[in-house]
Amino acid sequence: AALAACAPHAAVASTAEATPHLGERVAMALQSSGVPDAVIVAAIAAMPVVELRGAIPVGVLILGLSLPTTLALCVVGNMLPIVPLLLGLRAPLVQKLLDVPLKKARSKSSQVLGDNRWAALAAFVGVPFPGTGAWTGAMIAFVLGMPLVEALTSIGTGVLAAGLIVSALVAAGKLGAVIVAVALAGFLVASRFNPPPPKAGDETAAPASA
């Protein structure tokens, strides 16, 4: 709360004494150049790796923007590069330039396979953990051959979900963030180690009695 109440320039200057992450360094550089705070937040959300999960804390805690404003800017900013990325991936040159991240996306594509890949991709993008996000989700959508509209709506839903989760963490403070993070991690672990029930007609034969 104290950080949010500070003037934006003073807040950014004070964080320089610590070890700022990439989003904070970008914010300080752009703000010193006179770029409006709203543009800074959207630009950070559009960056790969950082994305919305790094932009929301910067917008609220560093630049002093309101949480609803920051959330809206981050969702829009995070989605801005996704259409050009999905279209660009159709070009062989872009595929060659992004060969390494595409290989990682192929290795993660098994996580979104199933009867409802739209929902699976949205859930993958919506979990604000390292290695997820809109950029990786777009590459997975390309690997799976998803149509543009299907990919965009799924990724957009996931981005909005991630934004709400990160906003809740920022609003809850340190203790609330730890509780939510532990609960989310527990849910993910439980869902991974608990296989879905077998489908009808897929029963295994019982062992023969002696």
Side-chain angles (χ1 to χ4, degrees), residues 65-139:
L65 299 176
S66 70
L67 189 55
T69 298
T70 301
L71 174 60
L73 290 169
C74 287
V75 170
V76 172
N78 207 166
M79 288 300 297
L80 276 178
I82 301 307
V83 174
L85 177 60
L86 287 171
L87 295 176
L89 283 170
R90 300 177 181 180
L93 176 60
V94 177
Q95 294 176 29
K96 179 177 289 188
L97 291 174
L98 298 178
D99 180 62
V100 173
L102 278 174
K103 286 180 180 178
K104 294 181 179 179
R106 289 188 182 92
S107 67
K108 295 178 180 180
S109 61
S110 60
Q111 301 179 33
V112 299
L113 294 176
D115 296 334
N116 193 344
R117 64 181 184 179
W118 186 96
L121 180 61
F124 175 87
V125 174
V127 178
F129 282 172
T132 65
W135 282 78
T136 303
M139 295 185 190

Side-chain angles (χ1 to χ4, degrees), residues 99-200:
D99 180 62
V100 173
L102 278 174
K103 286 180 180 178
K104 294 181 179 179
R106 289 188 182 92
S107 67
K108 295 178 180 180
S109 61
S110 60
Q111 301 179 33
V112 299
L113 294 176
D115 296 334
N116 193 344
R117 64 181 184 179
W118 186 96
L121 180 61
F124 175 87
V125 174
V127 178
F129 282 172
T132 65
W135 282 78
T136 303
M139 295 185 190
I140 291 177
F142 169 76
V143 169
L144 297 178
M146 295 177 68
L148 182 63
V149 173
E150 180 185 4
L152 281 176
T153 55
S154 176
I155 295 169
T157 301
V159 166
L160 179 58
L164 292 173
I165 292 173
V166 176
S167 297
L169 295 178
V170 171
K174 292 183 179 179
L175 178 60
V178 170
I179 294 173
V180 174
V182 169
L184 184 59
F187 170 78
L188 292 174
V189 171
S191 63
R192 171 163 294 189
F193 287 98
N194 288 327
K199 298 180 181 179

